[in-house]
Amino acid sequence: MFERLKSLWVIGTTVGALAFLVPSFAIAQSDPLPSWNDTAPKAAIVEFVEKVSKEGSPDFVPEPERIAVFDNDGTLWVEHPMYVQLAFALDRVKAEAPGHPEWATTQPFQAVLEGDMKALAAAGEKGLVELIMATHAGMTVTQFQTIVTDWIANARDPRFKKPYTELVYQPMLELLAYLRANGFKTFIVSGGGIEFMRPWTEKVYGVPPEQVVGSSIKTQFAMKDGAPTLFRLPEVNFIDDKAGKPVGIQEHIGRRPIAAFGNSDGDLQMLQWTTLAEGPRFGLIVHHTDAEREYAYDRKSEFGHLDLALDAAAINKWTIVDMKNDWKQIFPGN
Amino acid sequence: MFERLKSLWVIGTTVGALAFLVPSFAIAQSDPLPSWNDTAPKAAIVEFVEKVSKEGSPDFVPEPERIAVFDNDGTLWVEHPMYVQLAFALDRVKAEAPGHPEWATTQPFQAVLEGDMKALAAAGEKGLVELIMATHAGMTVTQFQTIVTDWIANARDPRFKKPYTELVYQPMLELLAYLRANGFKTFIVSGGGIEFMRPWTEKVYGVPPEQVVGSSIKTQFAMKDGAPTLFRLPEVNFIDDKAGKPVGIQEHIGRRPIAAFGNSDGDLQMLQWTTLAEGPRFGLIVHHTDAEREYAYDRKSEFGHLDLALDAAAINKWTIVDMKNDWKQIFPGN
């Protein structure tokens, strides 16, 4: 579906050159955002994209400057009942437990192995970092890519019983494709681990590894038995969240984006950095309001906490997507 | 010249579709690397590019995996009599001296202001870091971009009396364009400062800011009077040299390159990481052998020290460019 949509739009943009091949009415009738209801957010997106990509428009932006940044958790895919990467870490603890008999009596590992979510919560951020380091470091970059690829292919979400890569938001897939068809370069800028996302973002979102920005641990290069290796160390390198997001954007992209898409307070500074500047700018927040088809949460949620950024949206005129009212369909497929 | 060459090759690759528009003999006769003599390096480059980009070839590499990485100093532009960025730092000390009366009697600043290269050398790496921090930090990212852009437009090389951006290697410009015309994505991976390069690499090399990897200092995001700012701090963030280059490549690109181009021991690990793996791989070292048209240096040079990597080239069958014999022309223009 996603690839087909993209193809349609690539064809659409070259219709001038290929008019003799494509019946033009097919183009005129195609809707780049079919899963979006005809409410305000869709209109705002289309208006923005058309004005920056139309040569001669006073708001025209040259193609290389059309940089769009997307948060991942809660903006492109589900983040409840917990971040997918946390589910990965918990599964990895279970998978590696046989090699670590000491985990049976050591927190926070014991809590994970016993499914004791209360004890796990009590371990706090320190416990979480321990879990991440124990499951994300101590192997080469290549080995970690294989572990992630295998897990993401086999893991299932507890509520929808589907692979996590099918619990991505269809309207956002259409938005990514629509932006790219109009000369935008799309980047992911996530608080999640950069190497946790890269193995599957190209296939699922059309975003290649070099356009993924995220949190990272340190790596070390060494020659081992004549073969070069990059080894993952149990040490934080960069946290790509909150005030870290503009820093990560500058480090990786080196240009100021003109459009930013997020869903939580972790995206506030990215939205500020993107939109509070001269020229045409676009900011959007996905507001989870659909408990029936997905989830409903904001100011009181632990995962995807949306409070300051919701207030800032009103002040800065960022577009707010009300999932329940603005999206015809949540996930790909029927 | 550069843009024209690129256009020719883009046309070349789409000649099937546009055959009725372009006389085919023009394509057959065009040489993608006209500044290269018909010696071994040129043949090796063309053979590699053709085999990885030809569908059905046993060595075919899908386009997204065609990643090529280039060192900058000494590989794409001159690095003698000193790194261009060092010349920038020295000029900045002079420009900012009026605001720092204490520099007149404080090393290493005094050495710079008095042109005392012996005292400057005595200040060693510690002195160099002090110079870099004093001239590269303490302003916003945007302000630094303006400073670099102004300097690069006005500074002149002491020997050739030309802007540094004209002292880039014409054969390497052709190589960058040739690779891109064959589906490669070209990245710069330099020990130099990432923000020192980004303001001009797109115009000069056709490499956009998001495809530049380099050394960096830390930056901090803050809202100042309602405006978002990224402030440059006097603290090293990452050194993209030697064993740091594969780390920088993984962090920024997230894929292992299949071709690497360098000229010094600083590029050794990047060449190892790129070439010592399965599948078709290409490594190349630019050897500065032309004292008349440019410079001749290797094992004993301070800037662009080439010793271990020269030995490794023979062992690993990396291509060595002998500038004097393999390049018809060094710089763009006549």
Side-chain angles (χ1 to χ4, degrees):
Chain A
M1 173 60 201
F2 169 58
E3 277 307 315
R4 188 173 145 264
L5 186 90
K6 190 178 161 193
S7 307
L8 269 178
W9 275 85
V10 170
I11 290 170
T13 58
T14 54
V15 66
L18 298 170
F20 55 93
L21 288 175
V22 183
S24 62
F25 67 87
I27 297 304
Q29 290 182 345
S30 79
D31 176 351
L33 302 170
S35 297
W36 293 69
N37 283 319
D38 289 323
T39 46
K42 179 175 178 174
I45 291 166
V46 171
E47 188 205 338
F48 174 75
V49 171
E50 289 185 348
K51 77 180 178 185
V52 301
S53 57
K54 187 181 172 183
E55 271 197 73
S57 150
D59 289 315
F60 177 73
V61 175
E63 216 169 295
E65 301 287 338
R66 286 182 222 154
I67 303 288
V69 287
F70 288 79
D71 170 58
N72 184 39
D73 296 309
T75 298
L76 296 179
W77 75 351
V78 288
E79 62 183 350
H80 275 218
M82 68 176 84
Y83 296 130
V84 178
Q85 193 172 358
L86 181 54
F88 166 77
L90 301 185
D91 276 3
R92 291 305 304 160
V93 168
K94 291 170 200 159
E96 292 177 25
H100 295 270
E102 76 280 10
W103 284 357
T105 54
T106 315
Q107 293 297 11
F109 305 99
Q110 184 182 349
V112 176
L113 296 174
E114 295 175 352
D116 183 349
M117 288 299 120
K118 209 173 151 185
L120 184 58
E125 198 178 311
K126 184 171 165 290
L128 196 63
V129 170
E130 275 184 79
L131 284 182
I132 295 289
M133 290 311 171
T135 54
H136 288 63
M139 72 286 279
T140 68
V141 165
T142 312
Q143 287 166 338
F144 186 69
Q145 286 166 345
T146 303
I147 291 169
V148 171
T149 302
D150 288 350
W151 184 86
I152 207 88
N154 295 302
R156 294 293 179 273
D157 170 84
R159 173 174 163 193
F160 298 100
K161 318 288 183 205
K162 287 187 171 184
Y164 292 104
T165 49
E166 291 180 23
L167 299 178
V168 295
Y169 306 130
Q170 175 64 24
M172 298 304 280
L173 297 183
E174 295 167 5
L175 178 54
L176 282 163
Y178 174 55
L179 289 171
R180 288 193 291 261
N182 283 281
F184 280 78
K185 207 164 186 174
T186 53
F187 289 80
I188 290 170
V189 179
S190 169
I194 191 167
E195 300 300 351
F196 178 72
M197 296 180 281
R198 281 171 160 165
W200 50 269
T201 56
E202 188 157 32
K203 193 174 158 196
V204 175
Y205 300 137
V207 175
E210 62 268 28
Q211 285 162 226
V212 177
V213 183
S215 298
S216 59
I217 59 176
K218 289 200 186 294
T219 61
Q220 189 169 43
F221 176 84
M223 294 295 291
K224 300 250 162 135
D225 304 324
T229 58
L230 270 177
F231 200 77
R232 291 169 61 80
L233 305 175
E235 188 184 341
V236 170
N237 178 57
F238 180 65
I239 301 294
D240 191 53
D241 199 28
K242 299 194 168 75
K245 287 206 174 190
V247 172
I249 287 170
Q250 183 59 33
E251 174 72 11
H252 281 257
I253 308 177
R255 312 193 209 240
R256 202 157 173 174
I258 65 165
F261 304 85
N263 78 298
S264 78
D265 283 2
D267 305 315
L268 176 60
Q269 290 85 350
M270 173 173 86
L271 281 154
Q272 290 172 326
W273 177 241
T274 301
T275 64
L276 303 182
E278 292 198 8
R281 305 274 161 176
F282 192 80
L284 181 147
I285 285 180
V286 175
H287 191 187
H288 293 258
T289 53
D290 195 332
E292 197 178 318
R293 293 187 299 171
E294 201 241 10
Y295 297 96
Y297 58 91
D298 47 37
R299 297 183 196 271
K300 289 177 182 167
S301 179
E302 186 160 358
F303 298 108
H305 183 77
L306 175 64
D307 186 22
L308 296 175
L310 198 54
D311 296 337
I315 296 166
N316 297 302
K317 296 183 182 162
W318 297 332
T319 295
I320 297 176
V321 167
D322 176 338
M323 275 177 85
K324 189 171 181 178
N325 290 317
D326 296 327
W327 286 359
K328 258 183 215 148
Q329 184 177 342
I330 307 289
F331 301 124
N334 298 318
Chain B
M1 173 61 199
F2 169 59
E3 277 307 315
R4 190 172 143 262
L5 186 90
K6 190 180 161 192
S7 306
L8 269 178
W9 276 85
V10 169
I11 290 170
T13 58
T14 53
V15 65
L18 298 171
F20 55 93
L21 288 175
V22 183
S24 62
F25 67 87
I27 297 303
Q29 291 183 343
S30 79
D31 176 352
L33 302 170
S35 298
W36 293 69
N37 283 318
D38 289 323
T39 45
K42 179 175 177 173
I45 291 166
V46 171
E47 188 205 338
F48 174 76
V49 170
E50 288 185 350
K51 76 180 179 185
V52 301
S53 57
K54 188 181 171 183
E55 271 197 73
S57 149
D59 290 315
F60 177 73
V61 175
E63 213 169 298
E65 301 287 338
R66 286 181 221 155
I67 303 287
V69 287
F70 287 79
D71 169 59
N72 184 38
D73 297 308
T75 299
L76 295 179
W77 76 350
V78 288
E79 63 182 350
H80 276 218
M82 69 176 83
Y83 296 130
V84 177
Q85 194 173 357
L86 181 54
F88 166 76
L90 301 185
D91 276 3
R92 290 306 303 161
V93 168
K94 291 170 199 160
E96 291 176 26
H100 295 271
E102 76 282 10
W103 285 356
T105 54
T106 315
Q107 294 296 12
F109 305 98
Q110 186 181 348
V112 176
L113 296 175
E114 294 175 353
D116 182 351
M117 288 299 120
K118 210 171 150 187
L120 184 59
E125 198 177 310
K126 185 172 165 287
L128 196 63
V129 170
E130 275 185 77
L131 283 182
I132 295 289
M133 292 309 171
T135 54
H136 288 63
M139 72 286 278
T140 68
V141 165
T142 312
Q143 287 166 338
F144 185 69
Q145 287 166 344
T146 304
I147 291 168
V148 171
T149 302
D150 289 349
W151 184 84
I152 208 88
N154 294 302
R156 294 294 179 272
D157 170 84
R159 173 174 163 194
F160 299 99
K161 319 289 182 203
K162 285 186 171 184
Y164 292 103
T165 49
E166 291 181 22
L167 300 179
V168 295
Y169 306 130
Q170 175 62 25
M172 298 304 281
L173 297 183
E174 294 168 4
L175 178 55
L176 282 163
Y178 174 55
L179 289 171
R180 287 193 291 260
N182 283 281
F184 280 78
K185 207 163 183 174
T186 54
F187 289 80
I188 290 170
V189 179
S190 168
I194 192 167
E195 300 301 350
F196 178 71
M197 297 180 281
R198 281 171 160 165
W200 52 269
T201 55
E202 187 156 33
K203 194 174 159 196
V204 175
Y205 300 138
V207 176
E210 62 269 26
Q211 286 163 227
V212 177
V213 183
S215 298
S216 60
I217 59 177
K218 289 200 185 294
T219 61
Q220 188 168 45
F221 177 84
M223 294 295 291
K224 299 249 162 135
D225 304 324
T229 58
L230 270 177
F231 199 76
R232 290 169 61 80
L233 304 175
E235 188 184 342
V236 169
N237 178 58
F238 181 65
I239 302 294
D240 190 53
D241 200 27
K242 298 193 169 74
K245 287 205 175 190
V247 173
I249 286 170
Q250 182 60 33
E251 173 73 11
H252 282 257
I253 308 177
R255 310 193 209 241
R256 202 156 173 176
I258 63 166
F261 304 84
N263 78 298
S264 78
D265 282 2
D267 305 314
L268 175 60
Q269 290 84 350
M270 173 173 85
L271 282 155
Q272 290 172 326
W273 177 241
T274 301
T275 64
L276 303 181
E278 292 196 10
R281 304 275 162 176
F282 191 81
L284 182 147
I285 284 180
V286 175
H287 191 188
H288 293 259
T289 53
D290 195 333
E292 196 178 318
R293 293 187 300 173
E294 202 242 8
Y295 297 97
Y297 58 91
D298 47 36
R299 297 184 195 270
K300 289 177 181 166
S301 180
E302 185 159 359
F303 298 107
H305 183 76
L306 174 64
D307 186 22
L308 296 175
L310 199 54
D311 296 337
I315 295 166
N316 297 301
K317 295 185 183 160
W318 298 333
T319 295
I320 297 177
V321 167
D322 175 339
M323 275 176 86
K324 190 170 179 177
N325 291 317
D326 297 328
W327 286 0
K328 259 184 213 148
Q329 184 178 340
I330 307 289
F331 301 123
N334 300 317

